[in-house]
């Protein structure tokens, strides 16, 4: 596990705390040693790695599956070498977005050593009807606008949204 990478992702997310965050993936660490391992052990998060509970607290994130399934044991990773099951794959989101969640589920382990965490959200009515955003056609022919786009630096600046 590349703890330096995990720590860098945590620092990047901390810098984006003003924006809603959706984050899913294989963190290679368990958040709760009692619930997230088939055999309780001492291996959870490592110093310098990404401590899931601390990250969630600092950024006001929630573990979507865990909120909907409190106390339940289910696993996203099978280690054949250690004969253990662990929940190390997460879907985290800003708590302000949680009201949009309709369901969360973990698939059964069948072929791979990892399975997905599925989250279904209700985003309302987007992308249809008269509310669909369109680029103003007159800007295609606006000489000043075209020149503006060609000047280096006009489109740079701080990122407002970031996919990690």
């Amino acid at each position: 596990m590349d703890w330096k990478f995990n720590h860098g992702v945590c620092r990047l997310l901390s810098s984006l705390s003003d924006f809603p965050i959706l984050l899913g993936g294989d963190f290679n660490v368990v958040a709760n040693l009692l619930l997230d391992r088939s055999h309780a052990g001492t291996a959870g998060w490592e110093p310098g790695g990404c401590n899931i509970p601390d990250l969630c607290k600092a950024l006001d994130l929630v573990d979507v599956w865990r909120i909907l399934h409190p106390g339940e044991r289910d696993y996203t990773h099978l280690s054949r070498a250690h004969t253990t099951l662990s929940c190390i794959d997460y879907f985290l989101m800003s708590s302000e977005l949680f009201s949009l969640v309709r369901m969360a589920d973990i698939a059964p382990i069948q072929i791979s050593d990892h399975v997905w965490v599925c989250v279904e959200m209700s985003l309302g009515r987007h992308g249809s009807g008269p509310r669909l955003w369109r680029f103003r056609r007159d800007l295609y022919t606006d000489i000043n606008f075209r020149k503006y786009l060609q000047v280096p630096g006009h489109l740079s600046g701080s990122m407002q949204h970031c996919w990690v």
Side-chain angles (χ1 to χ4, degrees), residues 108-122:
I109 294 176
Q110 294 179 355
I111 298 172
S112 173
D113 61 343
H114 281 267
V115 297
W116 45 260
V117 178
C118 174
V119 174
E120 184 178 316
M121 299 172 66
S122 176

Side-chain angles (χ1 to χ4, degrees), residues 21-142:
I21 296 173
L22 295 170
L23 178 66
D26 175 2
F27 285 75
N28 261 357
V29 293
V30 297
N32 182 318
L33 289 173
L34 298 175
L35 292 176
D36 295 338
R37 282 201 188 277
S38 59
H39 304 313
T42 58
W45 71 276
E46 299 285 334
C50 196
N51 180 323
I52 303 293
D54 287 350
L55 176 69
C56 288
K57 185 176 180 181
L59 298 177
D60 194 26
L61 301 176
V62 294
D63 174 352
V64 178
W65 187 85
R66 179 58 62 207
I67 293 291
L68 294 175
H69 303 274
E72 194 172 319
R73 297 176 74 126
D74 205 347
Y75 308 104
T76 62
H77 178 255
L78 165 65
S79 171
R80 288 179 177 84
H82 298 105
T83 61
T84 59
L85 294 163
S86 303
C87 187
I88 60 175
D89 301 272
Y90 299 94
F91 197 99
L92 309 175
M93 71 170 44
S94 298
S95 62
E96 68 190 83
L97 300 175
F98 187 72
S99 63
L100 302 174
V101 173
R102 295 178 64 191
M103 64 78 100
D105 200 7
I106 293 177
I109 294 176
Q110 294 179 355
I111 298 172
S112 173
D113 61 343
H114 281 267
V115 297
W116 45 260
V117 178
C118 174
V119 174
E120 184 178 316
M121 299 172 66
S122 176
L123 300 177
R125 189 182 141 175
H126 293 284
S128 63
R131 295 185 180 143
L132 183 64
W133 181 87
R134 294 178 192 258
F135 185 77
R136 286 183 29 206
R137 290 180 173 259
D138 62 302
L139 291 177
Y140 286 119
T141 57
D142 184 323

Side-chain angles (χ1 to χ4, degrees), residues 5-17:
F5 173 78
N6 252 8
H7 188 67
V9 168
C10 292
R11 272 184 294 145
L12 173 64
L13 290 173
S14 295
S15 73
L16 298 174
S17 62

